[in-house]
Amino acid sequence: MSLAPRSGSSTAESGGRHGGGGRRGTGRPPRRRRVLRWSATVLAVVILGTATAGYLYYRHLNANLETGKRSSGDSKAEKPQPNAAGQTPLNILLIGSDSRNSAENLELGGSKSSVGSKPLADVQMLVHLSADRKHASVVSIPRDTRVDIPECTDPETGETYPATNTIINASLARGGAGCTLATWQNLTGVYIDHWMMIDFAGVVSMADAVGGVEVCVNQNVHDRPLPGVPGGSGLKLKEGRQKVQGEKALQWLRTRHAFFSDVGRAKAQHMYMNSMIRTLKEQNAFTDTGRLMNLAETATDALKVSEEIGSVKKLYDLAMQLKTVPTNRITMTTMPTDVDPQNANHLVPAGEDAEKIWSMVRDDVAFDKNGKAAGSKKTSGTEKASSDPAADDAEIGVLVQNATRSDAEGAVDRRASELAGLLVEKGFTRAAADLTGGLSEEQTVVRYPSAELEGDAQRIAKSLGIPLSSVKRSTDVSGVTLVVGADWRTGTSYPKKSAPQAGEIPESADAINGSDSGQCMDVYEPYRW
């Protein structure tokens, strides 16, 4: 009888089968299975590594972004109501800072005496993206335009600045970008969702990232100091079309003497922006991953943004909304202005022309005529009658305020008393005038503090012929308040206005369509060479 264990026999058999012998119970898996396991392990490592790298890069881009408070000043502008499809317009304020508080910015412009000073907002543009995302409008305000700047509190220092009336570029130094946003809202009546700010160095890096933008001058230009006229951007170009990038792009955007004025500078900036948009579309920058990453790296490092859009994802979502607008539906304009009667070197909004621009933005009316249907497109709900019934006329309390003062004209004496008396004659016996004065509103508006007074506010508006779109809920009032604006300086009947139609912008707005590549700047003769 053999005393050898049975397992020995099995091992021998197994060893003999594989041509090897002596390996106990360790049969190797087939080579194909080993390759699959190795491949799966490598793939898992690659996926994990890529995801980790992507996450780290995303965090890096987010860390690049500097953010600030959306608004730091008093403002009564209200968000627009959604249209029938539930869509609302999007308004973004672009600010170009003249800060010299870095070595790089100082080298690019300005003197050492500017170091440590609070920056000014030398470039200010509102980008309006329509509710249906089919058209976009851009409106600039020249930096030396005198406006009302509200009380603002600097979110970084806590310092509070009193309300003042001065040129608009000073708003940035009185509470940061949030104060500039509040100033725009009060001037225009447009609710502004976000702001973005860029300095000299940021402009240079963005111009380089794009790879150059084509511009055009009709004559050789050299924007330089002249006897009695200091400053100048340093821009020197030969006539015709050429690409500018880096510091040359910054010089183009800062040139004003050679382009006649701040209004001319705004036009040159619009030409540059239109050209840049066309360039990015031609490069497929929004779909080319490599180009998009390069632009994202540069943009997040160059921009400071309001905190509610302070992430790469939110900025990317904004870019995707903007890219859907075709170039022939983009219109660049400058707010119409007149010479400031108080200072010939400054400007003021040009009354009816300026108000027409802002009413088109508020009502989401296209600046171009290239849409399928031209015409006014008011947001849904702005004319909706309240379901809350009004009280009897004699029981409605209403305070009338005189806000007829504008940047161009002083307040109309006794205007609040005049219209309060008119309301009393109409049966609103509790109407009274607020005699404190000092207010300024471009548009007449009826404000009410809570839903149960909406019907009363609409009843007051209807009795005076004021459109229901001018009846606004506001926490700034304690009861129904009629604020008589600069649009109603005389008479007892509210002036009827026809709704602006698509493309009906004033000639004084100096409009340029985004598809117009034939634009070229004239050069003021002293700056030709």
Side-chain angles (χ1 to χ4, degrees):
M1 181 194 303
S2 170
L3 299 177
R6 293 174 60 94
S7 60
S9 171
S10 297
T11 301
E13 291 174 6
S14 177
R17 191 182 309 124
H18 290 286
R23 296 184 69 112
R24 295 178 177 262
T26 57
R28 299 180 66 184
R31 177 177 177 80
R32 180 172 177 274
R33 190 181 302 168
R34 293 201 308 273
V35 170
L36 287 175
R37 286 178 180 172
W38 180 85
S39 299
T41 302
V42 171
L43 184 59
V45 171
V46 169
I47 292 172
L48 180 61
T50 302
T52 302
Y55 172 69
L56 292 175
Y57 186 65
Y58 178 77
R59 286 189 60 187
H60 159 70
L61 291 178
N62 277 336
N64 278 352
L65 272 174
E66 189 178 355
T67 63
K69 190 174 180 180
R70 176 190 157 271
S71 178
S72 57
D74 294 333
S75 176
K76 300 180 180 66
E78 298 177 349
K79 285 188 175 183
Q81 295 295 317
N83 62 16
Q87 304 163 312
T88 54
L90 180 66
N91 296 304
I92 305 168
L93 182 62
L94 304 183
I95 302 171
S97 160
D98 75 346
S99 173
R100 274 86 170 184
N101 295 329
S102 73
E104 191 174 5
N105 279 332
L106 183 60
E107 185 178 345
L108 291 168
S111 64
K112 291 183 179 179
S113 62
S114 303
V115 176
S117 300
K118 291 190 175 181
L120 302 174
D122 269 4
V123 178
Q124 300 178 41
M125 299 181 186
L126 181 70
V127 178
H128 170 82
L129 186 61
S130 66
D132 60 11
R133 304 302 189 258
K134 291 182 178 179
H135 63 84
S137 310
V138 176
V139 187
S140 291
I141 295 181
R143 67 173 189 171
D144 288 338
T145 304
R146 181 168 59 85
V147 299
D148 287 327
I149 299 176
E151 178 181 290
C152 292
T153 300
D154 191 318
E156 295 182 3
T157 67
E159 184 176 359
T160 296
Y161 297 86
T164 187
N165 180 260
T166 188
I167 57 176
I168 197 167
N169 75 337
S171 59
L172 186 61
R174 301 177 64 84
C179 187
T180 303
L181 180 143
T183 300
W184 271 72
Q185 288 195 157
N186 289 345
L187 175 68
T188 67
V190 175
Y191 181 87
I192 301 174
D193 300 273
H194 318 297
W195 56 258
M196 298 182 181
M197 185 163 62
I198 192 167
D199 60 14
F200 292 164
V203 169
V204 170
S205 60
M206 284 298 294
D208 284 339
V210 172
V213 173
E214 185 179 82
V215 297
C216 179
V217 285
N218 284 322
Q219 301 87 17
N220 294 346
V221 58
H222 189 190
D223 192 58
R224 64 202 186 280
L226 294 178
V229 187
S233 68
L235 179 70
K236 189 173 184 180
L237 294 174
K238 289 185 176 181
E239 69 174 271
R241 300 188 173 281
Q242 56 235 276
K243 277 193 174 184
V244 294
Q245 63 185 97
E247 187 174 354
K248 190 73 74 176
L250 176 64
Q251 291 172 342
W252 175 272
L253 295 170
R254 294 186 64 211
T255 294
R256 64 185 181 118
H257 294 314
F259 295 151
F260 295 92
S261 65
D262 276 315
V263 176
R265 175 164 71 169
K267 182 176 182 179
Q269 291 166 352
H270 296 158
M271 289 169 56
Y272 180 94
M273 287 183 65
N274 278 336
S275 181
M276 182 174 68
I277 292 168
R278 291 194 299 267
T279 299
L280 290 172
K281 285 180 176 285
E282 289 165 4
Q283 293 175 350
N284 296 318
F286 297 107
T287 55
D288 183 323
T289 304
R291 290 287 294 121
L292 193 58
M293 287 178 66
N294 182 39
L295 288 169
E297 177 78 36
T298 306
T300 55
D301 196 44
L303 292 171
K304 181 174 181 179
V305 301
S306 50
E307 57 194 2
E308 74 288 344
I309 52 168
S311 73
V312 174
K313 182 182 184 306
K314 290 177 180 177
L315 288 179
Y316 176 79
D317 290 343
L318 280 180
M320 292 303 102
Q321 293 182 65
L322 289 166
K323 87 176 184 68
T324 63
V325 182
T327 54
N328 74 335
R329 302 297 320 275
I330 299 171
T331 308
M332 304 272 176
T333 63
T334 301
M335 181 187 75
T337 54
D338 290 324
V339 175
D340 184 353
Q342 296 182 15
N343 185 332
N345 293 318
H346 295 164
L347 303 166
V348 291
E352 290 185 6
D353 278 4
E355 174 51 30
K356 186 172 185 179
I357 285 286
W358 301 128
S359 68
M360 291 178 76
V361 174
R362 289 192 300 266
D363 291 340
D364 201 19
V365 179
F367 280 16
D368 69 279
K369 293 183 178 179
N370 298 324
K372 290 183 179 179
S376 176
K377 196 172 185 179
K378 291 197 174 219
T379 50
S380 173
T382 56
E383 294 287 350
K384 184 179 179 181
S386 172
S387 58
D388 174 58
D392 291 338
D393 291 355
E395 295 178 4
I396 297 176
V398 55
L399 185 68
V400 183
Q401 295 179 331
N402 183 354
T404 54
R405 182 174 65 83
S406 68
D407 292 306
E409 299 178 274
V412 178
D413 289 340
R414 297 186 53 77
R415 189 65 176 142
S417 297
E418 183 181 5
L419 289 179
L422 174 64
L423 285 169
V424 170
E425 290 176 9
K426 288 177 174 287
F428 299 93
T429 54
R430 294 183 59 194
D434 180 355
L435 302 179
T436 55
L439 300 176
S440 176
E441 293 276 353
E442 288 293 325
Q443 287 274 102
T444 295
V445 63
V446 182
R447 295 194 172 104
Y448 63 95
S450 53
E452 63 269 18
L453 292 178
E454 183 180 15
D456 292 358
Q458 290 193 353
R459 173 68 188 128
I460 293 293
K462 185 176 180 180
S463 72
L464 296 171
I466 298 170
L468 294 187
S469 58
S470 294
V471 178
K472 307 284 187 182
R473 184 169 177 172
S474 171
T475 57
D476 293 327
V477 296
S478 57
V480 176
T481 304
L482 167 62
V483 184
V484 186
D487 62 335
W488 193 12
R489 294 176 62 85
T490 60
T492 55
S493 297
Y494 185 72
K496 298 293 183 183
K497 300 175 185 176
S498 58
Q501 302 296 302
E504 289 185 354
I505 49 179
E507 287 187 16
S508 54
D510 212 4
I512 302 176
N513 187 270
S515 62
D516 185 354
S517 59
Q519 291 283 328
C520 210
M521 291 299 298
D522 279 322
V523 177
Y524 184 34
E525 191 168 357
Y527 296 92
R528 299 176 188 174
W529 61 280

